């Protein structure tokens, strides 16, 4: 993970913004994903791979992970039985664990993959109810996220807004557990870039940060949605400058109230702005 430096004196760790899925049984697609500009590539051994291709996908992924790549590579496993093959490989940077419902699920995975960062996916009503317990189940848990396709089916939700309560629950659970803000679930229509942008704007308003993608064409849309606008950057610079000249709460000339929480938020905006160079 790279470091952002030279932004008004800031030096902050760069948080992943784009997570690109690629099917494990198509090594050529995985290699294209590695060159796509995504912050993290997720090799998928679960939903993206047909049942009769699972063994081949695992073998191909293991071959890929014998090397260390410039882009961090995570794997969404199909079964706990995949883990002994993958866990020792030098190119594996994290495991995406599907269909987690209880903290005990994480304990078993952590024992099988000691030292590997884990990212549980919450894909059912029960999992959402257990979000904080899962998020705090083990130090190996580095983030949580929703699997919205399965969750939508489990809840019988027809409208996208019907998932907003579950989304908020996961955002709060991640924050309460001291984890990064979760990334949004994928937008499954790769031709609907307007819908993707609108969904990202909604996710940002709910407290998500970044989004998983299933095609490289989605990556620029996600970045544009989550990176600060020029107006947001100017406002953040003004807040940081004001805080540097006078400590404590104060009001800016335009009426905005500035306290420690506002200053912290302004620093986050400037760190994000550094991604654009």
């Amino acid at each position: 993970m790279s470091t952002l430096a030279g932004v008004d004196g800031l030096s902050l760790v760069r948080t992943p913004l784009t997570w690109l899925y690629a099917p494990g049984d198509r090594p050529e697609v995985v290699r294209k994903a590695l060159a796509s500009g995504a912050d993290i590539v997720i090799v998928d051994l679960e939903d993206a791979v047909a049942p009769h291709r699972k063994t081949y996908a695992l073998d191909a992924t293991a071959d890929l992970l014998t090397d260390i790549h410039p882009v961090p590579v995570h794997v969404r496993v199909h079964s706990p039985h995949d883990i002994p093959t993958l866990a020792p490989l030098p190119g594996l940077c994290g495991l995406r664990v599907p269909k987690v419902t209880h903290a005990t699920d994480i304990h078993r995975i952590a024992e099988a993959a000691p030292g590997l960062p884990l990212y549980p996916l919450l894909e059912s009503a029960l999992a959402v109810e257990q979000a904080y317990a899962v998020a705090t189940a083990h130090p190996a848990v580095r983030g949580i996220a929703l699997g919205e396709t399965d969750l939508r089916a489990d809840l019988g939700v027809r409208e996208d807004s019907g998932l907003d309560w579950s989304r908020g629950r996961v955002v709060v659970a991640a924050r309460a557990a001291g984890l990064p803000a979760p990334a949004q679930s994928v937008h499954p229509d790769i031709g609907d870039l307007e819908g993707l942008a609108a969904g990202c704007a909604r996710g940002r308003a709910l407290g998500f940060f970044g989004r998983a993608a299933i095609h490289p064409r989605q990556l620029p849309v996600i970045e544009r949605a989550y990176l600060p606008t020029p107006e947001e950057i100017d406002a953040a610079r003004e807040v940081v400058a004001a805080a540097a000249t006078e400590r404590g709460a104060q009001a800016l000339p335009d009426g905005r109230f500035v306290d420690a929480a506002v200053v912290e938020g302004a620093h986050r905006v400037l760190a994000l702005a550094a991604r654009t160079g």
Side-chain angles (χ1 to χ4, degrees):
M1 203 175 290
S2 60
T3 299
L4 300 177
V7 186
D8 293 84
L10 290 176
S11 179
L12 299 175
V13 173
R14 172 173 171 143
T15 303
L17 183 61
T18 53
W19 313 64
L20 180 60
Y21 278 96
D25 63 337
R26 298 185 63 189
E28 74 284 0
V29 175
V30 175
R31 295 194 179 277
K32 288 180 180 178
L34 289 169
S36 68
D39 291 322
I40 291 177
V41 170
I42 305 171
V43 181
D44 193 3
L45 302 181
E46 197 203 18
D47 291 344
V49 179
H52 70 282
R53 300 269 291 176
K54 298 290 188 186
T55 299
Y56 170 72
L58 177 60
D59 291 343
T61 300
D63 183 63
L64 174 87
L65 295 176
T66 57
D67 295 322
I68 297 174
H69 300 275
V71 179
V73 179
H74 293 189
V75 174
R76 179 164 73 167
V77 295
H78 166 62
S79 163
H81 298 297
D82 298 337
I83 295 173
T85 299
L86 300 171
L89 298 174
L92 181 62
C93 297
L95 290 175
R96 306 281 284 186
V97 187
K99 298 178 173 59
V100 171
T101 54
H102 293 93
T104 53
D105 300 333
I106 296 302
H107 294 159
R108 288 192 293 268
I109 300 295
E111 289 174 5
L116 271 175
L118 304 180
Y119 296 84
L121 295 173
L122 311 179
E123 303 182 67
S124 67
L126 178 59
V128 172
E129 283 297 304
Q130 297 290 324
Y132 180 72
V134 170
T136 57
H138 194 278
V141 175
R142 304 295 173 81
I144 59 175
L146 286 176
E148 291 191 357
T149 299
D150 285 0
L151 180 61
R152 189 186 302 272
D154 189 38
L155 296 176
V157 168
R158 295 186 178 182
E159 298 294 330
D160 186 70
S161 60
L163 293 177
D164 281 354
W165 186 90
S166 298
R167 291 165 175 157
R169 176 69 175 260
V170 170
V171 169
V172 171
R175 176 59 179 164
L179 298 175
Q184 285 184 272
S185 185
V186 301
H187 185 72
D189 186 346
I190 63 173
D192 179 24
L193 298 184
E194 289 186 5
L196 172 62
C200 289
R202 178 64 175 158
R204 188 180 182 194
L206 289 171
F208 287 90
F209 181 78
R211 189 163 197 172
I214 56 174
H215 194 282
R217 75 176 62 167
Q218 296 179 319
L219 301 178
V221 177
I222 295 169
E223 287 211 352
R224 282 195 299 271
Y226 274 97
L227 290 176
T229 64
E231 293 77 16
E232 290 171 331
I233 294 170
D234 289 344
R237 291 188 185 278
E238 187 175 2
V239 167
V240 170
T245 59
E246 184 175 343
R247 301 179 67 85
Q250 57 182 297
L252 297 179
D254 62 4
R256 283 179 293 154
F257 181 77
V258 176
D259 62 8
V262 174
V263 174
E264 181 182 353
H267 280 297
R268 286 197 298 269
V269 168
L270 295 180
L272 276 175
R275 292 178 66 105
T276 62

